[in-house]
Amino acid sequence: MRFELTAEQRRVVECPEPKFPVSASAGSGKTRVLTERYLHFVLERDLSPQHILTITFTNKAAAEMKRRITPGLRNAGRIQEAQQAEVGPIQTLDSFCQQILKENALAAGVDPDFSVRSNHDQMLSHSVRE
């Protein structure tokens, strides 16, 4: 399902720049705009989902984007691209950084089997030491 966009949102969706940040307040439509931009690149510019990196701040936004993009591509008859988008790099900033570090762990001097501790784990660890 494609959404109606404001003129400003449409300019962001159709901007020819390959990469740039989209910053706006909560509830302003960032996820919708990024979803439409993604669909625009695939449907209008024939870019493969395998060549689109989409990063958000929350797991909820990343999941919502996939829930919108996949049917948008299927409805346009782009089944292969829908499958690629379903497993492609639509992720949070944290998961993207973790992926890069895992792929380059030795070069970064990090144990390849590292794990990321949550803030909750760090607070528990800190309070146990006190």
Side-chain angles (χ1 to χ4, degrees), residues 1-5 10 32-33 35-36 39 64 68:
M1 174 176 158
R2 304 292 296 264
F3 293 94
E4 290 297 318
L5 301 172
R10 176 65 48 205
R32 178 183 332 137
V33 168
T35 299
E36 289 297 317
L39 291 170
E64 183 62 27
R68 293 178 186 179

Side-chain angles (χ1 to χ4, degrees), residues 25-75:
S25 62
S28 62
K30 290 181 300 294
T31 300
R32 178 183 332 137
V33 168
L34 289 174
T35 299
E36 289 297 317
R37 183 168 168 78
Y38 189 106
L39 291 170
H40 176 77
F41 271 104
V42 175
L43 299 175
E44 306 300 326
R45 296 189 183 180
D46 289 323
L47 190 62
S48 169
Q50 294 175 329
H51 296 115
I52 302 173
L53 172 64
T54 304
I55 299 176
T56 69
F57 281 106
T58 67
N59 288 321
K60 180 180 175 184
E64 183 62 27
M65 288 185 71
K66 282 191 183 197
R67 276 194 299 273
R68 293 178 186 179
I69 288 169
T70 303
L73 293 171
R74 282 197 180 108
N75 291 340

Side-chain angles (χ1 to χ4, degrees), residues 9-29:
Q9 289 172 328
R10 176 65 48 205
R11 281 193 300 274
V12 171
V13 167
E14 295 175 354
C15 178
E17 294 299 319
K19 57 185 174 183
F20 64 91
V22 174
S23 177
S25 62
S28 62

Side-chain angles (χ1 to χ4, degrees), residues 70-113:
T70 303
L73 293 171
R74 282 197 180 108
N75 291 340
R78 306 289 283 269
I79 305 304
Q80 181 178 359
E81 288 91 341
Q83 291 171 339
Q84 292 170 343
E86 203 162 28
V87 297
I90 300 173
Q91 60 200 102
T92 65
L93 182 59
D94 292 348
S95 62
F96 174 70
C97 291
Q98 185 176 346
Q99 174 188 339
I100 295 297
L101 192 53
K102 284 221 181 255
E103 291 172 359
N104 299 282
L106 295 177
V110 176
D111 182 346
D113 293 323

